[in-house]
Structure formats: structure tokens, C-alpha cells
Amino acid sequence: MKTIHIGLLGCGNIGSGVTKLLGEMSASIRESYQYELVLKSILVRDLTKQRPEYVDTALLTADKDKVLRDPEICYVVECLGGEHPSTEWMCEALRAGKHVITANKMALALHWRELHEASEAGHATLYYEAAVGGAMPIIKILNDSLQANRIDKLTAIINGTTNYLLTRMTDEGLDYLDVLKDAQALGLAEPDPTADVEGEDAMYKLSILASLAFHQHLPVSAIEREGVTHITQDDIRNARELGYHIKLLAHATNTAEGMDAYVSPMLVPIMHPLSSVNGAFNAVFLHGHACGDMMIYGRGAGSAPTAGAMVSDLINAILQTADDQSPQKLARENEDPVPMMSDRVSAFYIRLSAQDATGVLAHVAASLSSHQIGVKALLQPVERAKEGAQITILTHPASEKSVRAAIAAFDKELVRVMNVLRVEAPVV
Ligand code: HSE
């Protein structure tokens, strides 16, 4: 029987979930693998705070060195979150030869190179399955199972909070702010929801996924980002009438023309597999030259799903390194500047509020057609003609630059642009 000492950084929602799961799993790990897992120290900010009964308070310390400098601790589970000091402490642990398990997508996305260099310097491995998609094993799938694939497209729902908000807006006809308040009261959205609703969380996760999928580091600075705060009940209803659901998608493509990556709310065809991913669930839909289309689906957040991914990483780390100290080799992504696509092509949804006057529609149609943009569908519901006309246009696929130029050329006296959203292509 070999004893394995583990240190924990942070004991909030996820950290305490890790201690609970470690307690639950240790007997079967002992039996299956002859390893005795011992949680030795837990770093916390506040020693006096009330903890769940399954947290052994005798292990709590406010001294980070009790984890980072203890030579017996070979595995550090980082559950602090945020950029600092998590990044520095993970680097310190890695350089000291300790394997690190983290769910910290922000630290990974913003400090990818530093963390990888620290890992190489200390001959220690960084495990981060829980950073994207919670319980959904997408990192392992990209790193291991799809090694023989050239992945050219990845489209994902990787923020549970926004997917929950949009699902309830769709199912219950509620306005964005009402659903948000309710979700906050239920503890399903953060008191400060900015990172989720402005697409930052999804942007960090997309940077990690695209870097692994394309073997080319995709920094967050290369990702365009738009959140969901401007999505109204009108948009949800229009989308449904046109045969779509609105989802916050994280999108990355890698083609001969370059890479493209963005996070934005999009109209997803009702027949697309991502359209039926509802509530706080996450999914990644990708295309590889050998595997074709594939979708991975699961719980993207929450204490147990995230702790489950972290403890699984910990067990994998122990199995890979406890007896033979040669760590798993981290893939080295190309660090050259990313060649980005100069334009993109997609269909667009354009919602307008216009004067109900002769020639308005002709003006809009003329501007679109002079920019080579075809109209696929048009809605002008009589019952929603509050003041003037509510016109919604669905275009055929067109150059995004042309669509932006056509919209900029609309006469502002006649037409007000209320919302413009990209439309995801159907799966063929
Ligand atoms: N806040 C994230 C979400 C969960 O709503 O999906 C943690 O990554």
C-alpha cells in the first residue's frame, strides 16, 4: 500500500465537494489500486468560517506553504478560482514538481504559456478537465480520443448560467431581467453575473478548447465576444417563428483561410443537436476529418459535477505518476501569432423598428441587395406593430463585413436597428 499525500488550495463550494468525494472514493481506490489517499492540508482564507461536516477542520491552514512547500504533498488540487494568486501558486507547485489539478479556466486561458512552462520546468503535469464543461470529459476527448483527427470546427454551449437564462426565456416567455433575478434568488446565477452574461466565462473556455482542438494557442485576445444582455422576448419569439432557438455559442473554426473564434448569442436551427441543450447543461459539437460530427453533453457546473471531474483527474494523475515519476507530456501548442480569417460568412437575423411608411421596406431591401445580401425570410407581425413596424429579416449566408456595411447604410430616420445576431448553419 502506497500513501499519497494531497494538498487542497481553497475550500469553497468546489473544494468542499472535492473533500466529500475523496472521502467517498478512498476505499474503492485503496481496494482497486493499493493507494491510500491522504488529504494532508487545506488552505483557506478564513479559519473561523463554518464548513460542511465532511470537511476535517483539523486540516485547515491559512499558510499556503503548508501545501506548496510540504515535500510529502505531490498532488495539489487548486479550487481557489480567479486569476491571482491562483496562477502564481499553481506555477510554484508545478515548479516544485507537484502535479496540479485545477478547474480554473481564467488562469489557464490568461496564463497558458506560464503554466505550461512551469509544468515543464518542474516535470510535473497540469490536469484541467474540470475547467471546461464540468463533468463533461471534453479535455480528455480532445487530448486523447481525437488525436488522429484534424478538427476544423467546434461549436459549444459552455456557459450553464446563460443557457439556463435563455432556456427559461424561451420556455416561459419571461424577460431577461426577470429570469436573471429569479436565477440569482435560486443561487443559479452569481450575485454579480457579469462574467457569465457578458460571455467572458465562455471566452476563457473557448480559448482552452480551441487551443487543444487546433494545436495552436488561441489567446483570448483573438476571440470576439458578445453577451446575452440585449436579447429580448421579441428576439426569442421571432427566432422561434423562424424555426430557431437562441443560444450563447462559443464558436471556433480552423480553415485554410485562417482561424476564427467568437462567443455570441446565435440563432440555432431547431433541428440542430445544440438546440435541444437546455437549462444549465453544456455541450460541445465538433467536426473532425476522421470522426465526422460528434457531440459531447453533460453538466457544466455545480459542486458535485466539477468535483467529480477534479477527483477523476487526481486519480488519473496518481495512476500516471505515483510509481513512475515521468509525468504525462503536455501537448505543445504552436505559439506563433494566430492567422485569423479576415471576414466570416453566416446568415444573419436583423430586427428593425421602422416607420410604417411607404418605401421603408424597399429601402431596407435595396440596401441589402446592393451589398449582395439575399433575404431568406421576413416577419412583420401586425399584432406587434406597437409604434410603427417591427420588421425581422433572416438573410441568406453573406459576408459579415457586407452585412455590417448594409446595416450602417440604413437611413436612421426611417429604420432603427434593434438587434443583429448570427445564425448557426444547419447540420448537413
Ligand atoms: N459560471 C459557469 C457557468 C460555471 O455558468 O457555466 C463555471 O464554469
Side-chain angles (χ1 to χ4, degrees):
M1 188 75 62
K2 181 164 183 167
T3 302
I4 306 282
H5 292 97
I6 300 154
L8 191 57
L9 298 174
C11 196
N13 197 22
I14 308 297
S16 56
V18 167
T19 67
K20 179 167 189 268
L21 208 50
L22 270 178
E24 288 167 10
M25 297 306 295
S26 57
S28 76
I29 294 165
R30 191 183 309 123
E31 223 165 86
S32 304
Y33 301 113
Q34 312 292 299
Y35 289 132
E36 182 71 41
L37 303 194
V38 175
L39 183 55
K40 196 170 175 197
S41 291
I42 307 173
L43 176 76
V44 292
R45 282 190 193 99
D46 181 359
L47 288 167
T48 61
K49 192 175 158 185
Q50 191 70 27
R51 308 279 165 185
E53 76 289 349
Y54 45 80
V55 174
D56 180 353
T57 51
L59 305 180
L60 301 181
T61 173
D63 177 3
K64 72 176 173 63
D65 291 344
K66 288 263 162 40
V67 175
L68 298 179
R69 300 237 168 134
D70 182 334
E72 254 189 349
I73 292 179
C74 293
Y75 299 89
V76 173
V77 183
E78 187 271 322
C79 299
L80 297 165
E83 188 180 357
H84 304 293
S86 316
T87 306
E88 292 76 12
W89 292 355
M90 283 194 278
C91 286
E92 186 178 336
L94 288 165
R95 276 192 225 101
K98 301 181 192 304
H99 305 288
V100 171
I101 294 95
T102 183
N104 193 330
K105 64 257 162 181
M106 187 196 248
L108 283 162
L110 297 177
H111 301 281
W112 188 257
R113 181 197 285 258
E114 283 150 80
L115 286 161
H116 280 64
E117 281 174 359
S119 155
E120 278 178 18
H123 302 286
T125 305
L126 181 62
Y127 296 80
Y128 49 91
E129 184 61 71
V132 185
M136 194 172 66
I138 182 64
I139 303 294
K140 195 168 179 56
I141 286 176
L142 288 174
N143 274 337
D144 298 347
S145 321
L146 297 180
Q147 288 272 21
N149 276 269
R150 279 192 305 275
I151 296 170
D152 54 21
K153 181 170 175 183
L154 186 150
T155 313
I157 295 174
I158 38 179
N159 182 265
T161 306
T162 45
N163 204 49
Y164 173 85
L165 298 176
L166 292 170
T167 302
R168 285 196 60 195
M169 286 173 74
T170 304
D171 292 351
E172 300 171 39
L174 299 171
D175 283 327
Y176 168 76
L177 282 177
D178 294 331
V179 191
L180 176 63
K181 269 187 215 137
D182 199 41
Q184 286 171 319
L186 293 167
L188 296 168
E190 299 284 343
D192 176 1
T194 315
D196 291 315
V197 302
E198 297 295 353
E200 290 163 16
D201 174 79
M203 173 186 71
Y204 296 137
K205 293 170 178 170
L206 181 62
S207 165
I208 298 169
L209 289 186
S211 299
L212 297 179
F214 304 152
H215 304 290
Q216 159 81 53
H217 180 48
L218 184 84
V220 292
S221 56
I223 302 176
E224 258 184 53
R225 173 175 62 82
E226 180 185 329
V228 299
T229 55
H230 60 308
I231 302 297
T232 66
Q233 205 32 245
D234 280 340
D235 297 316
I236 299 274
R237 234 172 359 211
N238 288 338
R240 194 169 29 214
E241 281 176 36
L242 293 164
Y244 297 83
H245 286 148
I246 297 180
K247 301 281 181 192
L248 182 73
L249 294 190
H251 219 284
T253 48
N254 188 20
T255 67
E257 288 84 55
M259 274 198 203
D260 188 26
Y262 55 88
V263 171
S264 71
M266 289 182 71
L267 272 71
V268 181
I270 281 168
M271 295 305 287
H272 193 294
L274 286 173
S275 172
S276 49
V277 174
N278 287 322
F281 275 88
N282 281 198
V284 176
F285 187 82
L286 58 80
H287 181 266
H289 83 291
C291 66
D293 287 338
M294 174 183 279
M295 186 160 101
I296 303 113
Y297 169 88
R299 286 188 192 281
S303 175
T306 308
M310 297 189 87
V311 174
S312 299
D313 263 355
L314 174 65
I315 296 169
N316 281 328
I318 293 167
L319 296 181
Q320 283 165 0
T321 60
D323 295 321
D324 162 12
Q325 281 304 314
S326 61
Q328 191 189 16
K329 200 171 172 55
L330 285 183
R332 239 192 183 286
E333 279 74 34
N334 186 347
E335 292 280 353
D336 296 342
V338 186
M340 298 304 286
M341 263 157 73
S342 60
D343 195 9
R344 57 176 76 99
V345 171
S346 79
F348 275 82
Y349 160 99
I350 305 166
R351 177 161 67 86
L352 306 169
S353 175
Q355 283 182 29
D356 196 359
T358 310
V360 168
L361 201 52
H363 164 70
V364 170
S367 178
L368 292 174
S369 107
S370 71
H371 288 86
Q372 283 77 48
I373 300 156
V375 173
K376 184 179 180 191
L378 190 136
L379 287 179
Q380 189 176 339
V382 174
E383 70 280 7
R384 269 187 260 154
K386 295 159 198 161
E387 284 166 30
Q390 300 291 315
I391 302 170
T392 299
I393 292 165
L394 190 67
T395 74
H396 283 294
S399 126
E400 183 162 331
K401 280 188 177 158
S402 302
V403 172
R404 304 274 175 213
I407 291 169
F410 290 163
D411 180 342
K412 288 165 192 62
E413 297 287 311
L414 297 178
V415 181
R416 223 154 45 101
V417 181
M418 306 304 286
N419 216 341
V420 179
L421 300 171
R422 298 185 186 102
V423 180
E424 174 64 5
V427 175
V428 283

